[in-house]
Structures are given as C-alpha cells and as structure tokens.
Amino acid sequence: MLLTLPAPLRRALWAQVRRELPRECVGALGGWVRGEQVQAHALYPLPNVAADPEREYLADPGDLLRVVRAMQREGLDLVALYHSHPHGPAAPSASDRRLAAYPVPYLIADPAAEVLRAYLLPGGEEVEVRSADESN
C-alpha cells in the first residue's frame, strides 16, 4: 500500500504536531482509495480528549463522526488517521494497536526525529508514505 500525502497537507500536519506539543495531536485525512493507492486530499485536525494527552490520544467519537460526514459531503473517504508521539518513536505503541478501530493507515509523527511513518493496525504492517506536490 502507498499513501500519497501532498506537501501542503504534510506541512499542516507538522504545524499541528508542533502546536500541540507536549500533547499528542490527532486528526483524520480524507481522500480516495484506488486499489493499493491511497491519495490524501484534506486534513481534519481533531481535539485530543484523552485523560492523559501527553502520553496518549483519543479523538472524541462525535467529532470524528462529524468529520467523516463532512468528508462524505465533499466526496471523500476516510483514508488515514494520524497522531503524534511527542517523545518518539514513530512506531505504534501497545495502546495504538489495541485501540485501532479503522482499516486505514495510521500515521505517527515523531517531532523530535522529524519522522512520519504509517502502519496498518493492529498488525503493524508499515505503509509507504510518499510526498507529493499540489500538481500530483
């Protein structure tokens, strides 16, 4: 599987990661899936409502539902979820695997190492993330 993340979305994701420090950020990506190709088109930041937001993330289910409905109105699908690990690494934690509920890539940002990786959870298969400019 290949996830294409346009440069403006990548910049917006990293801006949210830095803005939320030392808390974990969370959000969703809308776009299209064509076979093994996933194209992100829109970024939807969500508030982290976890009890301990510096060590875990939780998107409010109502907010996530509103975002998914907004995607549908825009002709998009939920193609990925993302969050950050403020102290690294950009790898799924045990709670990330346990709480994974959607069959989409989960992007994890490590701001200390400036690394962004994606995984299919709960299994942990890594998904290639490719940058793209707006013309792609």
Side-chain angles (χ1 to χ4, degrees):
M1 178 176 287
L2 170 67
L3 171 62
T4 301
L5 186 63
L9 296 184
R10 183 179 286 267
R11 286 190 298 271
L13 189 151
W14 280 111
Q16 181 188 357
V17 167
R18 288 187 292 277
R19 194 171 50 250
E20 295 288 332
L21 286 172
R23 299 164 49 98
E24 291 193 15
C25 77
V26 62
L29 293 169
W32 305 278
V33 178
R34 290 184 178 80
E36 291 292 306
Q37 302 288 320
V38 178
Q39 173 69 48
H41 180 70
L43 183 128
Y44 301 86
L46 293 163
N48 183 349
V49 298
D52 186 3
E54 292 186 16
R55 300 189 61 206
E56 59 190 6
Y57 78 96
L58 178 65
D60 178 87
D63 287 337
L64 183 55
L65 180 59
R66 281 187 283 284
V67 161
V68 169
R69 287 182 177 155
M71 287 179 196
Q72 291 169 343
R73 285 191 300 274
E74 297 169 23
L76 303 174
D77 296 313
L78 173 65
V79 297
L81 294 165
Y82 66 87
H83 71 283
S84 60
H85 286 174
H87 306 290
S93 67
S95 64
D96 292 342
R97 291 175 189 270
R98 186 177 68 253
L99 298 174
Y102 295 91
V104 298
Y106 284 74
L107 286 91
I108 303 172
D110 174 352
E114 296 184 7
V115 172
L116 181 66
R117 291 204 172 94
Y119 304 87
L120 293 175
L121 298 179
E125 174 189 339
E126 193 161 355
V127 173
E128 181 182 352
V129 180
R130 181 179 70 191
S131 294
D133 62 28
E134 291 180 291
S135 64
N136 287 347

